[in-house]
């Protein structure tokens, strides 16, 4: 059959594209290594804010444990949070900012919670600067936890999109009751309308329902430790790099896969299912084992996992407060 391309010419083009890819990937690495917050002393405003919020959320997750809560948890997170706040303060950044208020608030939430359980918190003075242990005032009353009620989720089908989105929270503790797999399929099907680069739709969804495989997958993922009940379903979402045509699309899998994954998550919320996204930022050995476990081809980029289950009657979750729109919106005039 007739073709309009020359095989030798295409081979030469492929070699040049690989050289270009190495160059662009090198630029990615240099940009990331220059600006990522690898150390507590990487002290630009955004670097410090990100480190503060990271540890705030780690402590919130500990405080939200409905079962198996270990009092006195999170000393490493508290220690790093303290140091980030100290460096932030010494750098002269605003103490009215969202991250600073969150950091100060979660320390006091942690202290008050443990005092309410009659747990000795004297260890806090060893790792937290005394300034940050001062009692509550009107400023530092943010962060912490909130309660989600199963009954309210039954109305999700009737909510408008903004109400649905604003009231969605990641759920890590499930009731253990079976769920309707058709609801999961509805969410996946709806996500198929997600936009992708030139409509290539390179995503794939691995639906894991086998509890033994699920247990092994979550162990390798390492972000679901200590929770008493397994999910009913775990989704592994990937995007095939075989769908991309140029070195400039080297990161497109994460864009298309991220958009698709969020569509799935909103769909699950609409169906009244509890869910939590779990990252796929694993070491190479764990990733290799997961690929083998659920048979993910090497051409595919793992994007993330979603654990899905039934809501408990009441579930305590991290408050996960959000920045105001003014903090992240820039109007170009």
């Amino acid at each position: 059959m007739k073709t309009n391309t020359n095989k030798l010419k295409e081979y030469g083009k492929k070699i040049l594209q690989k050289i270009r890819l190495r160059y662009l990937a090198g630029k990615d690495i240099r940009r990331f290594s220059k600006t990522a917050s690898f150390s507590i002393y990487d002290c630009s405003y955004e670097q410090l804010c990100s480190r503060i919020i990271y540890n705030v959320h780690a402590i919130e997750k500990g405080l939200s444990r409905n079962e198996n809560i270990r009092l006195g948890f999170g000393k490493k997170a508290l220690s790093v949070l303290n140091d980030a706040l100290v460096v932030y303060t010494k750098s002269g950044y605003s103490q009215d900012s969202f991250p600073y208020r969150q950091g100060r608030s979660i320390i006091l939430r942690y202290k008050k919670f443990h005092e309410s359980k009659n747990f000795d918190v004297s260890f806090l003075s060893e790792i937290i600067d005394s300034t940050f242990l001062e009692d509550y005032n009107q400023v530092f009353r943010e962060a912490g936890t909130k309660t989600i009620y199963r009954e309210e989720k039954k109305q999700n089908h009737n909510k408008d999109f903004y109400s649905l989105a604003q009231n969605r929270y990641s759920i890590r503790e499930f009731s253990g009751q079976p769920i309707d797999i058709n609801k999961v399929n509805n969410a996946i099907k709806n996500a198929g309308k997600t936009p992708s680069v030139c409509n290539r739709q390179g995503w794939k969804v691995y639906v894991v329902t086998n509890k033994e495989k699920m247990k092994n997958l979550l162990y390798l993922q390492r972000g679901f430790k200590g929770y008493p009940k397994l999910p009913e379903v775990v989704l592994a979402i990937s995007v095939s790099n075989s769908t991309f045509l140029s070195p400039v699309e080297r990161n497109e899998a994460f864009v298309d896969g991220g958009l698709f994954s969020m569509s799935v998550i909103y769909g699950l919320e609409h169906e009244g299912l509890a869910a939590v996204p779990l990252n796929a930022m694993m070491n190479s050995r764990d990733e290799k084992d997961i690929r083998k476990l659920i048979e993910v081809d090497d051409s595919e980029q793992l994007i993330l996992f979603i654990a899905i289950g039934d809501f408990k009657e009441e579930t305590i979750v991290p408050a996960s407060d959000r920045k105001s729109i003014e903090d992240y919106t820039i109007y170009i005039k």
Side-chain angles (χ1 to χ4, degrees), residues 60-86:
E60 281 186 328
K61 286 194 288 186
L63 291 174
S64 68
R65 288 292 180 107
N66 295 264
E67 301 178 46
N68 299 338
I69 189 164
R70 178 176 52 84
L71 294 176
F73 71 88
K75 291 178 182 176
K76 181 179 179 181
L78 286 164
S79 176
V80 175
L81 174 59
N82 172 79
D83 292 354
L85 287 169
V86 168

Side-chain angles (χ1 to χ4, degrees), residues 20-152:
R20 187 183 181 197
L21 177 60
R22 286 181 178 273
Y23 169 74
L24 292 172
K27 287 188 71 175
D28 290 342
I29 292 170
R30 288 190 293 274
R31 183 183 295 113
F32 187 82
S33 63
K34 183 179 180 180
T35 56
S37 182
F38 291 141
S39 163
I40 188 68
Y41 297 108
D42 291 332
C43 55
S44 74
Y45 178 75
E46 286 194 347
Q47 287 170 330
L48 285 170
C49 288
S50 296
R51 190 170 290 274
I52 290 169
I53 293 299
Y54 176 90
N55 287 285
V56 167
H57 192 59
I59 297 166
E60 281 186 328
K61 286 194 288 186
L63 291 174
S64 68
R65 288 292 180 107
N66 295 264
E67 301 178 46
N68 299 338
I69 189 164
R70 178 176 52 84
L71 294 176
F73 71 88
K75 291 178 182 176
K76 181 179 179 181
L78 286 164
S79 176
V80 175
L81 174 59
N82 172 79
D83 292 354
L85 287 169
V86 168
V87 175
Y88 181 99
T89 303
K90 288 183 176 180
S91 299
Y93 298 124
S94 171
Q95 295 187 14
D96 189 43
S97 72
F98 173 81
Y100 183 82
R101 297 195 314 270
Q102 288 276 302
R104 290 289 303 269
S105 296
I106 200 62
I107 290 171
L108 296 176
R109 297 287 193 195
Y110 183 96
K111 180 185 175 192
K112 292 289 186 181
F113 175 83
H114 282 76
E115 287 174 343
S116 72
K117 302 289 185 182
N118 297 316
F119 188 84
D120 182 11
V121 293
S122 59
F123 70 92
L124 286 175
S125 61
E126 299 173 11
I127 56 176
I128 303 293
D129 188 276
S130 59
T131 303
F132 307 142
L133 289 173
E134 293 173 0
D135 209 351
Y136 280 103
N137 59 41
Q138 290 301 313
V139 179
F140 305 123
R141 290 183 175 272
E142 300 178 13
T145 62
K146 69 168 297 178
T147 303
I148 301 297
Y149 299 96
R150 187 177 191 273
E151 193 63 29
E152 292 179 0

Side-chain angles (χ1 to χ4, degrees), residues 225-290:
K225 291 187 289 186
Y227 293 98
K229 292 183 176 66
L230 285 172
E232 297 305 300
V233 176
V234 171
L235 305 182
I237 296 176
S238 72
V239 174
S240 175
N241 283 324
S242 298
T243 60
F244 304 122
L245 314 179
S246 164
V248 298
E249 296 181 325
R250 65 198 177 280
N251 297 318
E252 190 63 36
F254 299 103
V255 178
D256 289 2
L259 288 168
F260 179 83
S261 299
M262 195 68 244
S263 295
V264 172
I265 290 168
Y266 279 138
L268 294 169
E269 181 72 12
H270 179 72
E271 295 290 341
L273 294 174
V276 57
L278 302 168
N279 73 65
M281 296 178 285
M282 303 164 288
N283 63 52
S284 57
R285 179 181 296 176
D286 289 341
E287 181 178 340
K288 181 180 178 181
D289 289 343
I290 283 181

